[in-house]
Amino acid sequence: MSRLRDSYLGQGWLILLLAGAFGALLAAVHLKLSPRIEDNIQAEITREIPGLLLGAEVLEGASIKIEGDLVTVEPAVGEPRVLTIVEQPSEASALYRVAERDPGHLLGWVARGQDHGYADVIELLVGLTADTGRITGIYVLNQKETPALGDGIVRSDFRRHFVGIPTDRPLVVGADAAQSRYPIQALTGATVSSRSVCKIVNDTVALVKVEIAEEPEGSNARP
Amino acid sequence: MPVPEPTPLERFLNGILPENPVYRQLLGLCPTLAVTAAMKPAMTMVGATAFVLICANLITSLIRHLLKPHLRILVFTLTIATFVTIADRTLAAFAYPMSKLLGPYVPLIIVNCMIISRCEVCSSKQSPKTALADAVGVSLGFLLALASVATVREILGNGSWFGIQLVPESFPTLILMILPPGAFLALGSLLGLATWLGHRRKARASEPHAGSA
């Protein structure tokens, strides 16, 4: 009897029991809340896509209306622009095809990619031109990097480094950047987070390029 | 003779001022500094922390007779982590913009020493009723602390309170106060004020009454 009491099971039965009960509780919470959380994320993605492809300056003072696949951007100055955003079947967690509704031409692509950062998973939206030749912008959907260091990846001054960079070569950061034509300046004290962002962008761009190349000829010109 | 355990009312009242987690025990300083640039995120943090504290205190009090001394911290951490995850997911589902704004600070409630200290000091030793009173009192104390720091920072830094503009737009504001150094300045000043008031009260209480000699 005393051997059982002194064994790992005898000592840790309460922790095992609690772990089981709390695990079941968390599973129930996840099942109940995850559809709602995913809806919130989807709404955020739809709101951010115009800024990634049209440029952040177009959205300054602009109002955005979302109706299904149609997103109307009414800038402070100039004509409203109506975009159609269609999610494509993709091996990436999501790939969106964005076109202007009226002229009917393809504006670009936005893909959702993720990988491990320093603290937890970093999730990004990566905007690409219609021919996938250049990056139009990145947006950080989700991160839990170190406050005041790694969480600087959400700041516009860091994200601005990626705008307009050609996608013919993978991005490099920090000490390796001397070999690149378009170096990405790492955030001070957050090299791991900066490298993770570059890796996610590189992986996502590579995946999108392969998937779009596999599409039937001429399909990219569809409205 | 053993010292009697505090009653639920004593626990409740102690948590608000005499044992205020921030101003007296210097616990929970990470959220106090990080999310007090405005009242709305500060109050959301108080709500999430109060939920975790109340649930953790109740659970550990209910199982207090089963706790083994060398495994108790593990049980506390497991319990706290569970309720922090629930609070984090609930915020992401029902207050998504606030959840984004608070970022990693909601998951960081897990390492808030204020909560684990209440499990250790009160709920692992006393009844659920006392543990609940203690959790509510400490939560009110935490609310008082975060509200005071956030009020100073938002009014001085933005000229607003809870997002409501209090001073005219043309009135100059101290942007520094809503930046990280402003958190240290506000907390340091308020801590100094609270300590000075405490000392003054103690000195007055210990003064011999006039004419009593």
Side-chain angles (χ1 to χ4, degrees):
Chain A
M1 191 65 190
S2 72
R3 272 182 66 182
L4 179 66
R5 201 172 52 236
D6 294 339
S7 69
Y8 283 123
L9 199 62
Q11 291 289 308
W13 69 269
L14 179 64
I15 292 169
L16 289 172
L17 192 73
L18 284 175
F22 288 155
L25 179 64
L26 289 177
V29 169
H30 177 76
L31 280 175
K32 182 81 184 157
L33 297 183
S34 59
R36 202 181 175 112
I37 295 171
E38 197 48 48
D39 286 349
N40 289 337
I41 294 170
Q42 199 56 51
E44 186 186 10
I45 290 172
T46 311
R47 248 190 343 267
E48 293 302 328
I49 281 177
L52 282 175
L53 294 177
L54 300 174
E57 58 281 357
V58 175
L59 293 194
E60 268 176 35
S63 70
I64 298 176
K65 285 181 196 152
I66 300 167
E67 289 169 51
D69 290 345
L70 289 181
V71 178
T72 309
V73 181
E74 291 177 357
V77 183
E79 291 292 304
R81 298 175 79 167
V82 184
L83 310 180
T84 55
I85 299 174
V86 181
E87 188 172 351
Q88 303 280 108
S90 165
E91 276 183 37
S93 58
L95 175 63
Y96 302 91
R97 184 179 188 282
V98 187
E100 293 238 38
R101 191 185 60 170
D102 292 335
H105 75 269
L106 180 65
L107 202 60
W109 304 88
V110 173
R112 189 172 161 183
Q114 65 171 52
D115 206 339
H116 283 283
Y118 180 75
D120 202 348
V121 168
I122 297 174
E123 212 174 340
L124 295 183
L125 288 180
V126 182
L128 294 166
T129 51
D131 62 357
T132 68
R134 279 181 189 273
I135 295 168
T136 57
I138 66 164
Y139 176 78
V140 182
L141 257 185
N142 187 22
Q143 60 86 26
K144 289 187 171 57
E145 300 299 279
T146 315
L149 291 173
D151 70 348
I153 59 171
V154 303
R155 290 202 314 260
S156 58
D157 56 337
F158 174 72
R159 291 187 287 121
R160 207 176 296 135
H161 289 303
F162 295 84
V163 178
I165 292 187
T167 56
D168 53 345
R169 287 186 206 173
L171 301 174
V172 280
V173 74
D176 316 324
Q179 301 155 13
S180 170
R181 283 180 298 162
Y182 303 98
I184 300 295
Q185 190 68 47
L187 289 164
T188 307
T191 312
V192 175
S193 305
S194 311
R195 283 203 174 123
S196 298
V197 170
C198 281
K199 183 178 181 303
I200 298 167
V201 172
N202 288 336
D203 293 350
T204 309
V205 167
L207 194 64
V208 171
K209 278 184 161 186
V210 170
E211 290 193 352
I212 290 173
E214 284 170 359
E215 278 206 347
E217 188 104 357
S219 63
N220 290 355
R222 278 199 322 260
Chain B
M1 205 172 96
V3 181
E5 294 281 8
T7 63
L9 183 64
E10 283 170 337
R11 284 286 190 203
F12 174 76
L13 294 175
N14 281 347
I16 300 173
L17 278 180
E19 291 175 15
N20 185 286
V22 174
Y23 289 128
R24 284 277 173 259
Q25 301 183 61
L26 301 183
L27 297 176
L29 293 185
C30 170
T32 308
L33 293 166
V35 302
T36 50
M39 279 298 280
K40 281 180 189 171
M43 291 304 99
T44 311
M45 175 56 75
V46 169
T49 308
F51 165 75
V52 175
L53 181 54
I54 289 169
C55 294
N57 255 19
L58 280 175
I59 297 279
T60 42
S61 177
L62 285 168
I63 58 169
R64 67 190 185 281
H65 299 302
L66 303 172
L67 290 174
K68 293 188 193 311
H70 60 291
L71 293 176
R72 71 193 192 288
I73 301 292
L74 202 55
V75 173
F76 298 161
T77 314
L78 187 69
T79 311
I80 293 166
T82 301
F83 290 106
V84 169
T85 309
I86 293 172
D88 184 43
R89 296 291 77 196
T90 307
L91 275 177
F94 297 102
Y96 187 69
M98 187 54 79
S99 168
K100 292 275 288 185
L101 183 69
L102 290 173
Y105 294 107
V106 175
L108 279 174
I109 296 173
I110 293 170
V111 290
N112 189 329
C113 296
M114 181 184 87
I115 300 174
I116 211 162
S117 80
R118 297 329 296 169
C119 291
E120 174 72 6
V121 171
C122 174
S123 63
S124 61
K125 297 185 175 84
Q126 292 193 270
S127 69
K129 190 179 161 191
T130 314
L132 178 66
D134 181 75
V136 175
V138 171
S139 297
L140 287 174
F142 192 54
L143 181 141
L144 201 69
L146 261 68
S148 56
V149 179
T151 297
V152 169
R153 292 183 68 194
E154 192 178 348
I155 292 177
L156 292 179
N158 252 347
S160 61
W161 194 69
F162 262 110
I164 302 160
Q165 201 64 32
L166 296 181
V167 295
E169 298 273 352
S170 56
F171 198 79
T173 50
L174 288 166
I175 298 296
L176 180 78
M177 292 308 289
I178 52 171
L179 296 175
F184 287 91
L185 290 173
L187 180 63
S189 310
L190 289 168
L191 261 175
L193 181 68
T195 310
W196 178 72
L197 287 172
H199 281 309
R200 202 177 70 157
R201 222 181 74 182
K202 218 180 267 181
R204 279 190 181 170
S206 61
E207 267 177 19
H209 292 293
S212 64

